[in-house]
Amino acid sequence: MRVTELPIWARLENAKSAAEAVSMRSLFERDSARFERFSRRLALGPSGSLLLDFSKQRIDEGTLSLLLELAQDACVLEHRDRMFAGERINTTEDRAVLHTALRNRSERPVHVDGEDVMPLVRQALAHMREASEAIRSGAHTGFSGKRITDVVNIGIGGSDLGPVMVVEALAPFTQEGLRTHFVSNVDGTHLHETLRGLDPETTLFLVASKTFTTQETLENARSAREWFLGRAKEERHVAKHFFALSTNEQEVTAFGIAKENMFVFWDWVGGRYSLWSSIGLSIAIAIGMDAFEQLLEGAHLVDEHFRTAAPAENLPLLLGLIGIWNANFWDIGAHAVLPYDQYLHRFAAYLQQADMESNGKGLRADGDSLGTDSGPVLFGEPGTNGQHAFYQLIHQGTRLVSCDFLVAANTHNPLGRHHTLLLSNVLAQAEALMRGKTEAEALVELANTSMPDERKALLAKQKSFTGNRPSNFFLYDKLDPRTLGALIALYEHRIFVMGSVLGLNSFDQWGVELGKQLANKILPELEAGAKAGAHDGSTTALIEEVRVRRGLTQ
Ligand code: G6Q
């Protein structure tokens, strides 16, 4: 049954109608304990704790309990248990969904088809430790005996976005003299510009591809091998400079990478959930295996919390339900992730895939339509940059955007007043979105100016803000591997909760297939001597135009 047909859905619609008349300002005025009521803390061991403030959402106790009822009626927690138990909840691909097993730091076994996968996970981690330590210590050298100075991860989508985001986020934990690069785009410019200035003798390539059949990655890997062999000359040297991170031994071998240089994972790890697996080898090399394991620990803390905390205390559950409340009841079609943390400058790009590829679907897993909207558009930039770019629309546009603000209480780089300024900005933005500014307040501000009253009235209109724009606020002590692991896992499970409520399969991605199919059809039509095949008028004309501009037709 569609979630929209559950009686609780109609009750929530009524609650939304009633809430329209209530401003967030008045909610705060009425209830001095609102912050305590609508915030939660999650202990992160040696990394302190994470505070989630969701008091600047358009909710009250009544709505919150209705949302928790929705979770119950939509069987979200049963679905969660089935995921952790290794059931094949990715039904359209007939796979279990067990990225949580990759960061299971407990002794608890995790079964897939009756087999405990934890020994395999530990073995894969040990392999990553051995390799990353050898590279970081200089024990693993290039073919000419020189130390590796540059690691290039070649992968795309899930085999790129997570690793690059984490390596950027944890820059303070990286080793001097060992640089990490990421090449994803099939546009040759990406590989060319990355390799410019690198030395084949001291460069290690990690070919990261779950399937090892991805067009972009294989093309980049082939060109990288050519570049390498241009200097190394002999095929046998490839072994020291090319590692494969994959589930597909056959294709890895066919590519010419030896089995001992293959770092494995399994089909129950989805691409966009794979940074915790061997796909994270670039992270382990960059920050060291101990720090990588702290990242896993942070995620494990959140997994345990999601698995066991009471619904009203359960952060991912609350975040997911608030997400549904905003997107499906208030019609807020866009969600901005706004880290006031320069180290998280790739966080929104990473979450864009995690969220939009997971929940950007119009059908339920059973094939029925959702009956409501799919997950929202997700975007974001670090603060304060975004303030000088797109915040105008967030404050005064007619389309609503829900926001997540993230900030560390303390910085890795104490520099003058920078961090205090950063903090004042993020706090101000959340306050401004909630409070807004009435026309009367704007008029008061203009009272002492000499302009004519008419102009004052006009400006007061322009300078007023509706407010009532919802945001979550995440505050952590300092961005370290454990905190980052926890943050990522929180978002992963938020996505899970939203997908579960809607009844869709968050773990497939059929929507990326059509473009791939058509590109394969068009590819030969762009070669010399070929003709455009059957397409619509626009596509045929564009193919022809490309051919003319590339000198392929007379
Ligand atoms: C993620 C998607 C997708 C995938 C890439 C790369 O969930 O499945 O982004 O990660 O298409 O795939 P390979 O790792 O197989 O090269």
Side-chain angles (χ1 to χ4, degrees), residues 156-159 208-212 214 217 270-272 353 357 509 516:
I156 195 164
S159 299
S209 176
K210 179 176 169 181
T211 56
F212 230 76
T214 304
T217 300
R272 54 192 173 276
Q353 179 195 28
E357 200 166 72
Q509 54 283 316
K516 282 192 206 170

Side-chain angles (χ1 to χ4, degrees), residues 361-483:
K361 293 161 193 168
L363 292 187
R364 294 168 46 81
D366 61 16
D368 206 352
S369 60
L370 294 184
T372 180
D373 283 323
S374 60
V377 172
L378 189 147
F379 71 105
E381 279 292 325
T384 57
N385 292 7
Q387 290 176 204
H388 299 262
F390 52 81
Y391 277 36
Q392 165 64 42
L393 183 150
I394 297 181
H395 283 288
Q396 288 188 316
T398 56
R399 297 176 193 278
L400 294 182
V401 179
S402 55
C403 299
D404 284 351
F405 294 102
L406 297 93
V407 73
N410 298 294
T411 174
H412 285 286
N413 306 302
L415 199 63
R417 290 173 74 206
H418 288 252
H419 201 65
T420 317
L421 289 169
L422 186 74
L423 282 161
S424 66
N425 272 283
V426 66
L427 290 163
Q429 289 299 328
E431 185 177 28
L433 286 173
M434 185 280 289
R435 276 188 68 78
K437 186 190 282 184
T438 63
E439 243 176 275
E441 286 167 341
L443 257 183
V444 171
E445 285 176 7
L446 294 167
N448 293 332
T449 57
S450 58
M451 61 182 79
D453 284 354
E454 227 172 86
R455 186 158 172 75
K456 275 187 194 168
L458 172 71
L459 269 190
K461 264 200 178 131
Q462 302 290 346
K463 284 169 165 278
S464 68
F465 294 71
T466 59
N468 269 329
R469 298 181 181 226
S471 67
N472 291 317
F473 200 102
F474 297 81
L475 179 67
Y476 44 91
D477 288 352
K478 205 175 203 179
L479 191 64
D480 64 6
R482 193 177 288 97
T483 305

